[in-house]
Structures are given as structure tokens and as C-alpha cells.
Amino acid sequence: MKIEGTVIKGQQLGRRLGFPTANIDAEGLEVENGVYASTVELDGRRYVAMSNVGVRPSVDGKRRLLETYLFDFDGDLYGRCLTVELGCKIRDERKFSSVDELKDRLKLDAEHIRSL
């Protein structure tokens, strides 16, 4: 599934966890919540990415977002239009008991996606 949208500012928690994400409003998006292997094409380059669709229950999120971390990318994406192509779903979204537990799981998810 391809999702196109403008990158909006979030809580910047991903940045503090070492996984800065490009956030796109996902209200009304017809896809299951969860973590996906994904890709993003940007400025003629294709990036492997990790995406989460959902409300971010571990950080008391309220708004449904598509959050995408582009591997091997460093730059500012705010206000840019991105097309994110979701691949396989690797797990359901869930609430973690701490931010450290979430960070550890993100590392495992990233390793898994890179190995695909």
C-alpha cells in the first residue's frame, strides 16, 4: 500500500530514541495499526524504512499517525510530501512498560527489517 502525505511535526520522541521519524496524519487511513517494513523514494533515491501506523500507546498518543524512520538518511523532512510504501507487517502496535523497553524493541524491529 502506498501512502502519500505531508510530513508534520510530532513529539520528537523518535529523535530522542535514535529513530527520528517523518510523521504523516493517518486518520481515516484504511490499514491495520502496526509496524511495517517500508520504503520511501526521496530525491531520486529509494530508502529502506520502518513505519508504524497507530496511536503510540506507549507514550499516551492520541492522534493516529504514520511514523516512518528512513534508514541511512539524515536531513529535515518537515513540510515535504512523502510517499511511503508499506511492505510486510512485522508486528502489531502495542504498549510497552517503559520508553527503554520501546527503544529496545525498535532496535530489534530495525534489525529484522534490514535483514529482509
Side-chain angles (χ1 to χ4, degrees):
M1 167 182 253
K2 288 187 179 182
I3 302 159
E4 187 174 307
T6 302
V7 177
I8 58 175
K9 199 164 201 161
Q11 297 173 312
Q12 298 186 329
L13 177 62
R15 181 177 314 275
R16 292 191 301 269
L17 296 176
F19 294 93
T21 58
N23 302 312
I24 296 172
D25 184 9
E27 292 296 336
L29 191 63
E30 294 185 23
V31 64
E32 289 181 29
N33 287 357
V35 178
Y36 293 81
S38 58
T39 58
V40 175
E41 191 163 323
L42 179 66
D43 298 332
R45 182 172 173 199
R46 191 174 181 91
Y47 291 89
V48 174
M50 174 171 65
S51 296
N52 180 72
V53 178
V55 295
R56 303 156 339 276
S58 298
V59 295
D60 297 324
K62 305 283 187 266
R63 183 177 184 187
R64 190 168 188 243
L65 293 175
L66 165 63
E67 301 175 291
T68 300
Y69 170 70
L70 286 70
F71 293 106
D72 306 314
F73 176 82
D74 183 29
D76 183 2
L77 296 172
Y78 292 122
R80 296 201 52 186
C81 184
L82 289 186
T83 300
V84 178
E85 186 169 358
L86 297 180
C88 64
K89 182 177 177 183
I90 63 166
R91 68 172 174 86
D92 290 331
E93 181 178 53
R94 60 174 274 225
K95 183 172 182 160
F96 293 92
S97 61
S98 69
V99 173
D100 286 335
E101 184 183 359
L102 170 61
K103 183 178 180 178
D104 290 343
R105 185 55 201 240
L106 289 174
K107 288 178 184 176
L108 290 174
D109 293 341
E111 288 174 19
H112 178 76
I113 290 170
R114 282 189 184 268
S115 74
L116 295 177

